[in-house]
Amino acid sequence: MSENPRFYDAAMIRRTISHADCIEVVRTAMADFSASGADQPLRTIERVPGGGLLGVMPGWLETSPGFGAKIVTVFEDPARPGRARHRGVVLLFERPLGTLACIADADTITELRTAAASAVATDLMARPEATRLALLGCGLQAESHLHAISLVRPLAHVTVWGRSIAAARTFAGRLSAETGLAIEPVDDAAEAVADADIICTVTSSPVPILQGAWVRPGTHVNVVGSSHAGAVEVDTALVVASRYVADSRRSVLAAGAEFIAARAQGLIDDDHIVAEIGDVILRRVPGRTAPDQITLYKSLGHIVQDLAVAERLYRMDRAAPAAG
């Protein structure tokens, strides 16, 4: 165990760990989290004087020595007016001595582990024959989700929608060339999801960009973009109509914006959360019980995902032959 912490920047993380690695790591971390039944701390988000947010997510891994925190800031991105930029670090410590093992770029880990979590949920909850993906959003998360989802379902067609059709076209052209997948840019969200088997909402929209009336029976939806109480990406009709699975039940009850909105209207109660994704991984609860069911995975993100990816990076780095 090193007394000198390693630092992993974005380039090193992308060189070292793949989407497939992240899917495996997140699957194990979420199963261990739900199996333990332990309450881990909720994230705290504070407004910074002068604008922006500071978020702190502390926690620990249940079956390995790792514990620590992710610390991030969220400020408006001057290069993209109206959009936010996340910056931060993941700090991985190790028991029993509390040694700081590594510091890793949080932006990259968050991007990779979030898409991996959606892929795990899609693998467990989408119909086995699902091949048509709709991405609502065309940023880094959309790109990462495309790569990760393609590892758990053989995608035949992808639609992408964004606030800017020009950005959606650029995304479609670049990712089609990179992946060989048929990716169609669409300027209407309802049209984008009309034939989808899998939908991923990966935007920073403060208002619903996906309506329940647009989602056909049998679809699986990953709701990803809204990560705190306030902004909502999907309407209450979709929440009510869905078989609703959380990454963390406690987190969704406290900060799942779409869930909280539907509950406040008296349309659902806390029991509408049928399971945590870890329960589905452990086969305690089925992810889907009927082919025509609309299933929904609410991804707030959990610190065990970040710590597990950081720990995998650290182990891979320590195992690598020294340059010489």
Side-chain angles (χ1 to χ4, degrees):
M1 184 158 47
S2 172
E3 295 293 339
N4 299 310
R6 310 290 181 101
F7 176 72
Y8 305 134
D9 63 12
M12 188 276 180
I13 294 170
R14 293 189 191 282
R15 277 197 314 271
T16 305
I17 195 161
S18 68
H19 288 283
D21 292 329
C22 285
I23 291 170
E24 174 201 342
V25 167
V26 167
R27 186 187 297 265
T28 300
M30 296 312 291
D32 290 344
F33 167 72
S34 292
S36 75
D39 282 341
Q40 294 219 18
L42 294 172
R43 73 185 72 188
T44 59
I45 300 175
E46 303 293 342
R47 294 203 170 273
V48 178
L53 302 172
L54 174 67
V56 181
M57 298 169 62
W60 55 87
L61 298 172
E62 296 291 345
T63 60
S64 69
F67 70 99
K70 180 164 73 173
I71 303 174
V72 296
T73 62
V74 184
F75 279 71
E76 183 169 339
D77 187 349
R80 302 185 305 161
R83 299 191 182 186
R85 170 76 189 274
H86 294 66
R87 298 176 176 86
V89 292
V90 176
L91 303 172
L92 177 70
F93 297 85
E94 287 196 320
R95 294 167 280 195
L97 300 179
T99 306
L100 178 59
C102 69
I103 304 167
D105 175 66
D107 210 11
T108 310
I109 285 184
T110 301
E111 176 201 328
L112 293 171
R113 63 82 157 149
T114 304
S118 292
V120 170
T122 300
D123 193 28
L124 294 165
M125 299 173 69
R127 289 177 292 113
E129 67 273 21
T131 61
R132 300 177 69 86
L133 170 67
L135 297 168
L136 301 188
C138 51
L140 281 176
Q141 274 297 346
E143 180 175 343
S144 201
H145 272 71
L146 176 63
H147 288 297
I149 300 296
S150 70
L151 294 174
V152 299
R153 287 296 184 275
L155 298 178
H157 186 259
V158 180
T159 55
V160 60
W161 169 89
R163 287 186 290 183
S164 161
I165 185 60
R169 287 181 182 131
T170 299
F171 177 98
R174 181 169 60 84
L175 271 297
S176 291
E178 182 178 321
T179 65
L181 294 170
I183 304 175
E184 178 187 359
V186 180
D187 63 2
D188 180 77
E191 181 185 346
V193 305
D195 295 322
D197 303 313
I198 304 161
I199 303 170
C200 299
T201 64
V202 285
T203 74
S204 58
S205 176
V207 296
I209 47 93
L210 179 62
Q211 305 288 328
W214 304 342
V215 179
R216 65 178 184 165
T219 303
H220 172 68
V221 185
N222 297 306
V223 180
V224 178
S226 174
S227 58
H228 59 89
V232 296
E233 275 194 305
V234 306
D235 70 356
T236 55
L238 179 56
V239 173
V240 172
S242 68
R243 180 172 176 81
Y244 192 104
V245 172
D247 50 9
S248 160
R249 181 184 298 272
R250 186 164 174 248
S251 295
V252 166
L253 292 176
E258 299 90 354
F259 186 92
I260 291 170
R263 185 179 59 188
Q265 294 175 43
L267 301 173
I268 58 170
D269 59 22
D270 292 355
D271 290 338
H272 191 64
I273 302 173
V274 298
E276 292 180 337
I277 194 64
D279 296 316
V280 182
I281 298 167
L282 293 165
R283 299 186 179 181
R284 292 171 169 174
V285 180
R288 170 178 293 274
T289 60
D292 62 349
Q293 214 166 37
I294 294 173
T295 56
L296 186 153
Y297 171 63
K298 176 57 183 175
S299 174
L300 282 167
H302 198 281
I303 184 59
V304 298
Q305 300 169 357
D306 303 283
L307 293 175
V309 174
E311 186 176 75
R312 174 63 67 91
L313 282 165
Y314 180 64
R315 300 286 171 235
M316 293 172 75
D317 180 31
R318 291 294 302 271

